[in-house]
Amino acid sequence: MNEKREKDDLKTEHMMYLWDILSRGGVLTKAEVAEKFNIHIRTVSRYFEDIRRHLDRKNTETGLRQQLIYDRNRKVYRIENLENSMISPGELLGICKILIASRALSKKKLTSLMSRLLQTAVCQSGQEDVKTYMKHELFDYRDPCHAEPDVESMWHMIGAINKHHVIRFRYKGIHDVRGKIKEVQPEGMVFSEYYFYLLGTPTESGAKGKEETRVYRVDRMHHIEDTGETFDVAYSSRLREGVFKNSIQYMYPGELQQVRFIYSGPSLEAVLDRLPTAEARQQKDGTWLVTDMIQGDGIVMWFLSQGSMVEVLYPESLRKKWLAEAEKIVEMGKCGRAGKA
């Protein structure tokens, strides 16, 4: 009985070795396996047959078209179409670019995360080129000035959102060193311009009957605690993170309002990428009348970044704010500190 168990354990060890290499895009020959484990070639053939049957069952269950083949040109065994279940080097390159451009994480965290993605999600044959790229790209990366978000705490907050649990935390604002204790009914979490944000309603505002979703930067939240206290959310009034993100700019919340402006720049697609729910209608003079529903006044910062390519039309309050900021910039240019610097 013990002898049979030992044989089974030995076979399991051998099979795990073979699977570890083949599943990562590696190749094997019968001879090298036989030599490594000091076993007969026929035993190795049975191992490969077991892997082939396993892939057949997996293909039926998952739809992934993988199979163990013998490459007669190279005289090796390998798994074909492994890219169906793994990330290609090009895909990982894109993911790395996005992570680096987000500037959400420290260099140390980025290096660790990207290395783990490379080792576990990319075929072995494509790893070296991506590794070289990652090394060069991260060489000039500078850590962001903001605190790094605690991703484990973020995961716990997602749990509280799904369970409709009130969370408690100490929130430190820009000029608030000690911070204040907050209790919030969490509704969602988004990422925007370098930061992760928790969206939620303060419990005190809920008690007063005001349904006002507020925005909290996750890196400014400390000592986060799931209180276990539940709250009700009507399905029809639940916060949809995608809708919220599409209607707000630079995470400046406020009332939802219709915004209209004229765009005369060279790239309308850049405008529509910034405002994904906007509608644009070309005018006779070649400019574009753009209409969208936007929360708050954060859009003013984007208007100003477009210079003379944008003219704000509506609402009047937003137009006045845009003009007032533009006038301040002009005044600064007239009597600024450039000559004193």
Side-chain angles (χ1 to χ4, degrees):
M1 188 70 176
N2 289 336
E3 184 178 349
K4 183 179 185 304
R5 183 179 297 172
E6 288 178 3
K7 286 183 178 179
D8 289 343
D9 290 344
L10 198 59
K11 179 181 178 181
T12 300
E13 180 183 335
H14 295 171
M15 294 293 291
M16 289 181 67
Y17 171 81
L18 267 61
W19 179 254
D20 186 55
I21 292 177
L22 293 170
S23 66
R24 293 174 181 271
V27 297
L28 290 168
T29 67
K30 287 183 180 180
E32 67 178 302
V33 176
E35 182 179 354
K36 179 176 179 61
F37 296 118
N38 192 26
I39 56 179
H40 199 277
I41 287 289
R42 286 199 297 269
T43 303
V44 180
S45 295
R46 289 195 292 270
Y47 286 171
F48 283 137
E49 280 303 312
D50 286 343
I51 291 176
R52 188 173 282 115
R53 283 193 292 269
H54 169 72
L55 286 174
D56 288 341
R57 289 193 299 270
K58 189 177 177 184
N59 293 345
T60 302
E61 295 169 359
T62 66
L64 295 174
R65 297 181 299 277
Q66 299 177 345
Q67 62 181 103
L68 181 68
I69 66 166
Y70 179 66
D71 188 330
R72 296 186 180 279
N73 292 327
R74 300 167 62 190
K75 298 182 179 180
V76 296
Y77 285 86
R78 60 182 176 84
I79 292 179
E80 193 174 54
N81 293 332
L82 191 61
E83 63 274 10
N84 286 342
S85 61
M86 302 189 79
I87 298 174
S88 71
E91 288 171 329
L92 182 60
L93 175 67
I95 292 171
C96 291
K97 283 283 190 183
I98 293 169
L99 285 171
I100 290 170
S102 73
R103 292 195 52 76
L105 303 173
S106 67
K107 185 174 184 177
K108 181 179 179 181
K109 177 71 77 174
L110 269 179
T111 302
S112 172
L113 178 59
M114 290 161 63
S115 295
R116 281 178 284 151
L117 279 172
L118 179 67
Q119 294 299 322
T120 60
V122 177
C123 293
Q124 194 175 40
S125 58
Q127 289 184 9
E128 284 304 315
D129 289 342
V130 180
K131 186 184 293 185
T132 300
Y133 160 76
M134 285 166 45
K135 184 177 179 181
H136 291 163
E137 188 78 5
L138 286 168
F139 181 79
D140 293 316
Y141 185 81
R142 295 293 179 265
D143 284 343
C145 293
H146 62 80
E148 187 168 73
D150 184 344
V151 291
E152 292 304 319
S153 293
M154 287 169 56
W155 182 245
H156 292 315
M157 283 190 279
I158 292 296
I161 292 168
N162 292 334
K163 297 173 186 174
H164 300 160
H165 283 187
V166 173
I167 62 172
R168 182 185 300 117
F169 54 90
R170 182 177 292 276
Y171 192 71
K172 297 182 179 181
I174 299 177
H175 304 297
D176 188 359
V177 179
R178 296 186 60 185
K180 294 182 175 63
I181 300 297
K182 305 282 187 182
E183 282 198 357
V184 172
Q185 297 174 356
E187 301 172 74
M189 187 179 293
V190 297
F191 178 83
S192 179
E193 280 91 26
Y194 317 123
Y195 312 115
F196 289 95
Y197 295 89
L198 176 76
L199 313 175
T201 304
T203 52
E204 62 267 21
S205 69
K208 297 175 184 177
K210 298 178 182 178
E211 297 296 330
E212 180 186 353
T213 298
R214 297 188 185 176
V215 175
Y216 303 90
R217 254 178 57 181
V218 172
D219 59 297
R220 293 177 178 169
M221 298 169 61
H222 303 272
H223 309 298
I224 302 162
E225 174 190 356
D226 184 337
T227 67
E229 179 186 347
T230 60
F231 60 93
D232 295 326
V233 179
Y235 182 81
S236 59
S237 61
R238 76 193 190 286
L239 184 139
R240 293 164 58 188
E241 295 170 346
V243 173
F244 183 91
K245 185 73 166 57
N246 287 339
S247 66
I248 194 170
Q249 294 296 314
Y250 301 103
M251 300 310 290
Y252 277 75
E255 292 185 7
L256 191 66
Q257 57 186 341
Q258 187 186 69
V259 174
R260 292 200 300 268
F261 61 92
I262 294 292
Y263 177 71
S264 57
S267 178
L268 178 66
E269 68 178 22
V271 177
L272 298 180
D273 284 339
R274 165 59 68 173
L275 307 172
T277 59
E279 295 180 359
R281 190 170 71 247
Q282 192 165 28
Q283 307 298 288
K284 292 181 179 180
D285 60 359
T287 62
W288 294 89
L289 173 64
V290 183
T291 306
D292 200 4
M293 298 298 294
I294 298 292
Q295 286 191 58
D297 294 340
I299 187 69
V300 171
M301 288 193 288
W302 181 78
F303 285 150
L304 292 169
S305 74
Q306 300 303 297
S308 61
M309 294 186 296
V310 160
E311 180 188 356
V312 181
L313 304 178
Y314 182 86
E316 186 63 26
S317 58
L318 199 66
R319 176 180 171 84
K320 287 180 178 178
K321 184 170 288 191
W322 166 68
L323 288 171
E325 289 297 323
E327 289 169 359
K328 287 180 185 178
I329 294 171
V330 172
E331 287 302 313
M332 287 172 61
K334 290 179 179 178
C335 54
R337 302 171 186 171
K340 305 175 184 179

